[in-house]
Amino acid sequence: MFSTARHTALRQARSPFRIARPTTAPQLSALARLLSTLAVLEQREGKLNVSSLAAVTAAQKLGEPVTGFVAGSNVKAVAEEAAKVEGIDKIIYVENGAYDKGLPENFAPLLVENIKKGGFTHILAGHSAFGKNLMPRVAALLDTQQISDITHIESEDTFVRPIYAGNAILTVKSTDSPKVITVRGTAFPAGATEGGSASLEEGVDPKAECPTEWVSEDLAKSDRPDLATATKVVSGGRGLKSKEEFDRLMPPLADALGAAIGASRAAVDSGFADNSLQVGQTGKNVAPQLYLCAGISGAIQHLAGMKDSKVIAAINKDGDAPIFQVADVGLVGDLFEKVPELTEKLRKE
Amino acid sequence: MSGLRILVPVKRVIDYAVRIPAKPHSPVARNHIHTNLYFDLRAVTGATITKPPQPPFSNSATLLARPRANSPPHQVKPRVNKTQTAIETAGVKHSMNPFDELSIEEAVRLRERSKTSGPKVDDIVAWSAGPQKAQDVLRTAMAMGADRGIHVLVPDASQGGKKDGESGDGGDLEPLGVAKLLAKTVEQEKVNMVILGKQSIDDDANQTGQMLAGLLGWPQATQASKVEMGKDGTECTVIREVDGGVETLRAKVPIVITTDLRLNEPRYASLPNIMKAKKKPLVKKAPEDYGVDVKRRLRTVKVVEPPPRKGGQKVGSVDEMIGRLKELGAI
């Protein structure tokens, strides 16, 4: 009897504390259900790389809130630019010239520190050279299995991505947390760069040492639209026979259409075009309104990089070339006749 | 400074490159038992015997265009299995992941270069995690010049293991698991350079090299198109392919490098070398031997074929082409 009374008294004495300090377990699980996404943005010489905003578009599909991340020297301007992007709630920026070149040896620890501090559940970046290089290193440091090059988000833990050069579409469910993801730019087009009003916050800087020294770069300069994001692409293949012919036929056609220039691996390997113009499984993925190709047979690896284009047009002298199986408009003929004729007629339009 | 000890992970994947079907009476067929338009030279598995190609025509464009005129190339298209859980691998031709051939080639070239300049290469270890048949690609790697092989047996479906679309022919393993096994191997074999392919052509993940570098805390040079070692072998300069061009990095050994297609042109394994490779040591291991957790983190929900495009409409002239493109709203 006494014992029961004592228990009751004790329970009563304890209860105010219980109310004042709510049990942590349910609160934790409620937190875990809340998504918070970090979109890693790219910058180059103080300018925001707009194609990296695909990560923001994808992040928005997961739900709010979306935080953007930039790092580099004089990065405040980039942060302010990014703050205007629609759909971003907050920008974390880290001002340090050591991050200018996006070297993963120090950029990965930087990201990991900020991910841990922010408690993010999803970390997204574009599947660009930068994202491909950096994100798996981040994933390894967080002991999480990355999901590469996603094209669709089914739910917060289920994602769709192409495998086998786009010949199969895989849906995977991830049990990891946080989830590290790279997104295919052409599947998540960048949204509006105006209209947003994100807050700015300085991130933590672990100042990890970088054992790698960036020496130099050699980037192809061009006034034409960027290949990965162009609405029209003209592309040449082995059928052009030489660099001279490639340079004679493709740029005028591109100019007549206001298109970017691409190339097949065969054309790149034969030295007709620069490596950075390669479209395909191991090159760039494009999905323009119009993909017009000449002298490209349509190998699996090439199709992997362009078959999501809205309209595909092909000129090839071999009527059996696989490219004609995917082309909406196919013209069987000698490209050395047809391309100049097409260029001429498009100019007159 | 002691010499380089290079680890080269290789993977056995479905071979879906374009190739020219061999025709018994064509002179090309005799010379090209196994040529392919996309990945150029390709070593064969230990089981197949082949000769190096003798180009019958002056340049590669005509070399490859000529036979196409009478027989269009066929493509081995990966097919999704009936249960929509993975790609059909039974009865499909497999070979070494093309990017891994470049890794082996680069390791062997580093050794060859060491005769004139550059550091000594003490050891080239080929490593593969996968089903029993992964040994074929290890033998190929040894025929191309690797000194020895390590095979981590990961059973596939036919041997009682689980089959999964995401990991392709690696059975149960995901890039993170492979990277963990490799990190242990690096430690055990006292390796100071790892050369991997930038991606495998089945799962297209492009992760393992970067993850390994992260786990080891080593510098990484991904998508390398040129690797140059300093004379004393402590420093290495790598040109890597990035969006819009190339960049050059310099780092100290130990380092992880991943190869891009333009790094080199892999050699064919010659018949004598294929025979010699059969005598090179090949150590068998199990994932458990490494004492790391390689459990899968991703679960395959389904694998489906992409929606087919309705192409195939041909026009007769440039005018018709322009007309059609206008109708479609493309111009």
Side-chain angles (χ1 to χ4, degrees), chain A residues 105 132-133 137 143 145 148 161 164 169-171 213 216 218 220 265 281 307 309 328 330 349, chain B residues 38 68 166 180 202-205 207 210 218 220 222 244 246 248 250 299 301 304 309 313 315 326:
Chain A
E105 289 83 352
K132 282 189 261 193
N133 195 24
R137 190 160 178 134
D143 192 32
Q145 173 56 52
S148 290
R161 58 180 300 260
Y164 290 87
I169 308 297
L170 167 74
T171 308
E213 183 196 342
S216 65
D218 182 11
R265 167 155 139 85
Q281 184 185 16
K307 67 181 173 186
S309 306
D328 300 285
E349 292 284 324
Chain B
Y38 180 60
R68 284 198 53 222
E166 170 74 2
K180 286 179 178 177
D202 52 6
D203 67 11
D204 283 336
Q207 296 175 2
Q210 297 89 310
W218 286 8
Q220 69 186 53
T222 59
V246 293
T248 308
R250 195 177 300 134
R299 187 170 66 76
V301 178
V304 296
R309 273 192 84 98
Q313 204 181 0
V315 293
K326 276 192 183 152

Side-chain angles (χ1 to χ4, degrees), chain A residues 147 157-159 170-174, chain B residues 166 298-301:
Chain A
I147 307 163
D157 63 358
T158 308
F159 308 93
L170 167 74
T171 308
V172 283
K173 197 177 166 84
S174 166
Chain B
E166 170 74 2
L298 304 179
R299 187 170 66 76
T300 297
V301 178

Side-chain angles (χ1 to χ4, degrees), chain B residues 93-324:
Chain B
K93 184 179 160 47
H94 284 65
S95 51
M96 192 193 294
N97 181 39
F99 292 99
D100 301 345
E101 293 180 357
L102 299 158
S103 319
I104 288 281
E105 179 66 32
E106 195 60 22
V108 176
R109 285 189 189 192
L110 280 173
R111 165 172 284 161
E112 287 167 352
R113 250 178 270 158
S114 72
K115 285 171 195 151
T116 49
S117 65
K120 233 169 102 243
V121 176
D122 290 339
D123 194 14
I124 302 175
V125 193
W127 183 99
S128 191
Q132 187 59 36
K133 286 221 168 128
Q135 286 195 11
D136 294 352
V137 296
L138 284 172
R139 291 287 173 204
T140 306
M142 289 189 269
M144 288 172 75
D147 299 314
R148 56 199 178 101
I150 298 175
H151 176 217
V152 183
L153 182 68
V154 183
D156 68 8
S158 60
Q159 293 158 327
K162 201 174 71 189
K163 194 74 199 166
D164 220 306
E166 170 74 2
S167 61
D169 291 294
D172 259 357
L173 294 177
E174 288 167 345
L176 184 63
V178 175
K180 286 179 178 177
L181 293 175
L182 283 171
K184 278 277 171 198
T185 310
V186 163
E187 210 174 275
Q188 285 170 9
E189 307 292 332
K190 306 210 170 13
V191 165
N192 55 15
M193 178 181 274
V194 187
I195 312 181
L196 308 90
K198 75 163 176 181
Q199 77 192 61
S200 75
I201 61 164
D202 52 6
D203 67 11
D204 283 336
N206 195 329
Q207 296 175 2
T208 310
Q210 297 89 310
M211 287 181 157
L212 175 64
L215 293 175
L216 294 168
W218 286 8
Q220 69 186 53
T222 59
Q223 310 197 181
S225 58
K226 190 168 187 182
V227 177
E228 239 168 53
M229 293 299 302
K231 224 178 178 127
D232 62 349
T234 56
E235 201 174 69
C236 121
T237 307
V238 178
I239 298 181
R240 55 183 301 265
E241 307 234 331
V242 294
D243 295 338
V246 293
E247 69 177 18
T248 308
L249 301 177
R250 195 177 300 134
K252 288 226 166 8
V253 170
I255 187 170
V256 174
I257 296 170
T258 76
T259 61
D260 211 324
L261 283 167
R262 274 160 280 276
L263 183 60
N264 57 46
E265 223 172 71
R267 69 195 64 194
Y268 265 90
S270 68
L271 186 52
N273 284 340
I274 289 172
M275 301 314 286
K276 267 185 229 158
K278 290 186 177 167
K279 295 199 182 89
K280 289 184 179 174
L282 198 162
V283 178
K284 281 185 206 177
K285 298 237 182 194
E288 297 77 43
D289 296 345
Y290 291 92
V292 289
D293 176 20
V294 294
K295 264 205 310 287
R296 287 189 68 83
R297 312 291 190 82
L298 304 179
R299 187 170 66 76
T300 297
V301 178
K302 64 175 179 204
V303 179
V304 296
E305 307 233 345
R309 273 192 84 98
K310 324 188 282 284
Q313 204 181 0
K314 284 182 189 157
V315 293
S317 70
V318 168
D319 289 318
E320 271 180 70
M321 183 174 228
I322 294 174
R324 195 69 197 107

